[in-house]
Amino acid sequence: MANILLVLNAGSSSLKFSVFQLPEQGELQAAVVGQVEGLGGTPHLKAKDGDGRLLADIRWDSGQVTNHAQALMAVDQLLRERFAGQTLIGVGHRVVHGGAEHSAPLRVTPEALDTLAAFIPLAPLHQPHNLAAIRAIWEIHPTLPQVACFDTAFHRTQQPVGEYYGLPYEYYQRGIRRYGFHGLSYEYIATTLPSVAPEIADGRVVVAHLGSGASLCAIHHRRCVGSSMGFTALDGLMMGTRPGNIDPGIVLYLLQQEGLTPAQIEDLLYKRSGLLGLSGISNDMRQLEASAAPRARLAIDHFVYRISRELGALTAVLGGLDALVFTAGIGENSVAIRRQICQHAAWLGIDLDLEANERGATRLTRTGSRVSAWVLPTNEELMIARHTLNLLEI
Ligand code: ADP
């Protein structure tokens, strides 16, 4: 009888899920990919099979499915029908924060869940939902093994000196340090390098994860040595709705001079800034690229500028650069953004092959380019599934 694994990524108003089948031999195969969106509003479940064919498209009236536990009941029902006769052997979760302690995934116990709850203040918009999904699974399947995979874990190898802020030392001891995020995406890319780009697998690589959230990670010998993200996922590059790093004096100014409350500042920094705030049009790069409005252009140019700046900084951390890798929604799909970033980075030795970039080739640079550039699709769900299987087999 075949076995399946469930992978969950619970956000504030959404629940993404994937089901992986364990083949007799070879790589895990995604059999279902789906999400419930609009939790708390008018929820909508959509699921496709591994080949992209629609399996389910369900809309509920508002108030019918309001939280993760109810969404999971609906997902569980779908899976029971779809995988009748197959055994669910475990659930892997994306958990945004593992603190300084966790440099590897963790088999979750009730005691471990309490320690993870201690990181809620460090990631108040993500961690509570991640943990709610773990509790909700226990309600449905009390003995099912569950594994927490942390977005911070891959960054625990970054240079110790780079983990500090220039604050009094006791703040570091109290946990105010650079953690880094998007670690599951970077780990996936690092693990694929030996097979898809062996010539750079042991080199100095900056990976640009450019999606709704965006960050850069400096990798050497497939281990993280630095990240553009810090204490929270607000730091570093400008993103869809987040500003990236800003002068902390701006927050003081908004509090003291403009009279904003902490909740208003949180809303401003997480939901109203970035591409959306600067353009006044959208946080969706496709819409900005299609727009003729000057502020759409401004937002794109600033997005590229900030990446170029941070690329220079992480190249300094690495002591040089062998390759730049693009991944996630914008990195994998936007020909124009990749072109602009590579052209800004010509000084580093990136000699872009325009035609290869247009056709979406894996390798974007010309033969002989001192620094190579690549597009490698990320797969955080597969990374979580692999970790979950590994821990279940121990
Ligand atoms: P997340 O998983 O964090 O929601 P994604 O990795 O899916 O984010 O990336 C979302 C971003 O990718 C959006 O800004 C979207 O506009 C952008 N994107 C997706 N496809 C394209 C495309 N063909 N051209 C430009 N941008 C794209």
Side-chain angles (χ1 to χ4, degrees):
M1 194 162 54
N3 288 334
I4 54 172
L5 277 175
L6 175 62
V7 169
L8 294 177
N9 179 359
S12 56
S13 64
S14 70
L15 177 73
K16 293 184 182 166
F17 59 94
S18 305
V19 179
F20 286 84
Q21 263 168 330
L22 279 60
E24 293 286 312
Q25 55 188 22
E27 182 65 286
L28 288 154
Q29 299 293 331
V32 172
V33 178
Q35 58 186 344
V36 183
E37 282 181 323
L39 288 173
T42 48
H44 178 196
L45 183 155
K46 206 167 177 180
K48 294 182 175 173
D49 71 10
D51 297 319
R53 281 187 295 261
L54 191 66
L55 289 178
D57 194 347
I58 307 168
R59 287 176 192 276
W60 292 279
D61 291 333
S62 64
Q64 275 193 304
V65 175
T66 55
N67 57 31
H68 292 96
Q70 289 170 338
L72 269 170
M73 298 286 272
V75 171
D76 193 59
Q77 183 59 33
L78 179 80
L79 301 190
R80 280 176 204 270
E81 289 162 15
R82 178 80 188 163
F83 298 100
Q86 302 191 35
T87 308
L88 177 61
I89 60 165
V91 183
H93 296 261
R94 180 185 198 173
V95 175
V96 73
H97 224 301
E101 290 85 350
H102 296 296
S103 56
L106 177 75
R107 174 96 174 243
V108 193
T109 59
E111 299 73 43
L113 199 61
D114 289 342
T115 67
L116 299 182
F119 304 130
I120 287 176
L122 303 186
L125 300 191
H126 295 97
Q127 194 85 348
H129 309 295
N130 303 155
L131 304 188
I134 296 175
R135 284 196 200 91
I137 289 286
W138 272 332
E139 292 288 316
I140 310 173
H141 302 283
T143 57
L144 194 63
Q146 301 199 66
V147 172
C149 301
F150 305 108
D151 253 329
T152 48
F154 184 67
H155 301 291
R156 298 284 54 77
T157 54
Q158 69 182 321
Q159 297 187 355
V161 71
E163 284 198 323
Y164 294 86
Y165 287 104
L167 291 166
Y169 189 77
E170 58 264 31
Y171 288 90
Y172 174 81
Q173 292 171 306
R174 274 153 43 190
I176 300 188
R177 49 180 92 177
R178 295 184 72 91
Y179 292 103
F181 298 89
H182 293 137
L184 292 159
S185 172
Y186 293 124
E187 186 181 8
Y188 176 79
I189 298 290
T191 58
T192 63
L193 289 180
S195 56
V196 296
E199 61 267 53
I200 61 165
D202 285 313
R204 295 161 302 180
V205 180
V206 169
V207 182
H209 176 108
L210 308 179
S212 304
S215 68
L216 300 186
C217 182
I219 293 177
H220 195 195
H221 295 300
R222 300 194 292 287
R223 287 156 66 91
C224 170
V225 294
S227 162
S228 66
M229 276 191 167
F231 177 59
T232 70
L234 280 177
D235 201 3
L237 305 179
M238 184 175 81
M239 305 171 225
T241 57
R242 291 170 256 169
N245 65 352
I246 57 171
D247 180 343
I250 296 172
V251 175
L252 289 178
Y253 179 85
L254 294 174
L255 277 168
Q256 293 166 343
Q257 306 302 323
E258 304 239 331
L260 267 64
T261 63
Q264 286 171 321
I265 293 180
E266 181 178 279
D267 184 60
L268 175 75
L269 297 179
Y270 278 98
K271 299 191 177 142
R272 295 199 289 118
S273 298
L275 292 171
L276 172 66
L278 211 47
S279 70
I281 296 169
S282 174
N283 61 334
D284 189 316
M285 186 56 86
R286 281 166 295 199
Q287 284 194 34
L288 298 182
E289 288 186 338
S291 168
R295 273 173 51 195
R297 186 73 259 158
L298 166 71
I300 292 175
D301 287 348
H302 187 70
F303 183 73
V304 170
Y305 168 79
R306 296 279 294 277
I307 293 166
S308 307
R309 238 180 114 130
E310 195 65 35
L311 176 60
L314 287 180
T315 298
V317 169
L318 283 164
L321 187 67
D322 298 308
L324 171 63
V325 174
F326 293 100
T327 196
I330 299 171
E332 291 169 31
N333 296 297
S334 175
V335 171
I337 296 287
R338 289 197 304 257
R339 185 182 62 241
Q340 287 183 66
I341 294 169
C342 287
Q343 286 173 343
H344 273 263
W347 67 277
L348 279 168
I350 292 183
D351 184 8
L352 181 68
D353 180 338
L354 290 170
E355 186 274 324
N357 184 40
E358 288 280 343
R359 98 180 114 84
T362 300
R363 189 186 177 122
L364 303 176
T365 36
R366 284 184 229 277
T367 313
S369 180
R370 196 149 45 81
V371 173
S372 56
W374 305 74
V375 181
L376 302 178
T378 194
N379 195 337
E380 289 150 296
E381 288 74 21
L382 179 56
M383 199 67 237
I384 295 170
R386 285 179 187 163
H387 280 312
T388 305
L389 190 59
N390 280 345
L391 275 191
L392 295 189
E393 285 175 342
I394 286 172

